[in-house]
Amino acid sequence: MGKYKTVFWDLDQTLLNFDLSMDHAIRKVFERFGLEINDEIVARYDEINRSYWNRLELGEITKEEVKTGRFRTLFEELGIQNVLPEEMAPAYQKELGSVFFYMEGAKELVSLLREKGYRQYIVTNGVNATQENKMKLSGLDQIMDGVFVSELIGYPKPMKEFFDGCFAALPDVDREECILVGDSLSSDMRGACNAGIAGCWFNPQEKQKDIDVKTDYEIRRLEEVLTILEEERV
């Protein structure tokens, strides 16, 4: 074991493919409520959804406002009046938590790291009930040592207070021996900086940085985490 002994994992779009789950869920609930759904509407929902989560990260809105506000914005654009956002939101969350899709190599990697003795934790801004369901269905609840959800801690990633809450529950964990792996620069990598731990940007699509934030490592495939973890302290 090298210089890192504890791995904090982002869940959505890092270990689990959120894009596939989202596509499944939004189509299912639109069909259930008798609403038209097509690729353009799915893409527009995705854009609106991301903008709401970005505002949550900045502390501008609450998670409850995310859950209903994104549908309110979408319905206003589409002229939908026969379904309320307050009706759509819980149905969507239930559907979102009913399916999971692993990112390539994710389950094999976290299972191997567990065998090797690494401590692993999920750190997520997702809705608690939804994430709990996906953890159970995927089997990640049996692999991870714990899960930290922003709505339970009271602060979202990337805020320092979120990670202070995590480490308060892990008094024997040394921050210098921790690394956070995630796909989001604004949430995960900025969060790692705020927490005072190493950050590994999972960037399979080779995107260019759109914000100025420090990344200690950058990987294209999750299996590359193994090489990082085997590095010796210098």
Side-chain angles (χ1 to χ4, degrees), residues 126-159:
V127 175
N128 184 51
T130 302
Q131 305 301 61
E132 275 190 354
N133 288 342
K134 288 194 294 186
M135 292 282 292
K136 289 177 182 177
L137 287 173
S138 66
L140 281 172
D141 63 327
Q142 300 298 312
I143 299 172
M144 294 293 139
D145 293 284
V147 182
F148 296 103
V149 183
S150 62
E151 71 183 62
L152 300 182
I153 292 178
Y155 299 92
K157 291 186 300 179
M159 294 182 69

Side-chain angles (χ1 to χ4, degrees), residues 50-213:
R50 290 175 189 274
S51 72
Y52 268 84
W53 283 105
N54 287 338
R55 291 175 63 193
L56 176 78
E57 292 170 13
L58 294 171
E60 295 177 354
I61 57 176
T62 67
K63 191 168 292 183
E64 287 303 313
E65 290 172 307
V66 171
K67 288 191 284 188
T68 56
R70 55 193 173 180
F71 288 109
R72 184 171 295 108
T73 297
L74 181 65
F75 287 2
E76 287 174 356
E77 289 188 9
L78 298 177
I80 294 173
Q81 298 179 337
N82 59 322
V83 179
L84 296 175
E86 291 79 8
E87 295 175 301
M88 179 68 77
Y92 171 76
Q93 286 302 148
K94 184 175 181 180
E95 197 64 52
L96 193 62
S98 71
V99 294
F100 72 91
F101 305 90
Y102 270 106
M103 298 293 279
E104 184 178 355
K107 188 170 186 180
E108 294 81 1
L109 175 60
V110 295
S111 299
L112 177 60
L113 294 184
R114 182 175 177 84
E115 292 175 8
K116 287 178 172 288
Y118 289 93
R119 296 174 70 169
Q120 301 179 87
Y121 299 90
I122 295 294
V123 286
T124 176
N125 277 344
V127 175
N128 184 51
T130 302
Q131 305 301 61
E132 275 190 354
N133 288 342
K134 288 194 294 186
M135 292 282 292
K136 289 177 182 177
L137 287 173
S138 66
L140 281 172
D141 63 327
Q142 300 298 312
I143 299 172
M144 294 293 139
D145 293 284
V147 182
F148 296 103
V149 183
S150 62
E151 71 183 62
L152 300 182
I153 292 178
Y155 299 92
K157 291 186 300 179
M159 294 182 69
K160 178 179 180 296
E161 290 85 351
F162 172 86
F163 292 96
D164 286 345
C166 297
F167 284 105
L170 305 171
D172 59 333
V173 172
D174 186 342
R175 295 195 192 210
E176 291 187 355
E177 297 177 343
C178 297
I179 186 168
L180 192 161
V181 184
D183 69 297
S184 170
L185 289 171
S186 60
S187 175
D188 301 314
M189 295 304 97
R190 183 164 283 158
C193 292
N194 290 340
I197 62 177
C200 176
W201 184 27
F202 177 45
N203 183 21
Q205 296 178 332
E206 300 187 37
K207 298 177 182 177
Q208 296 297 311
K209 280 188 177 182
D210 56 2
I211 62 172
D212 183 18
V213 62

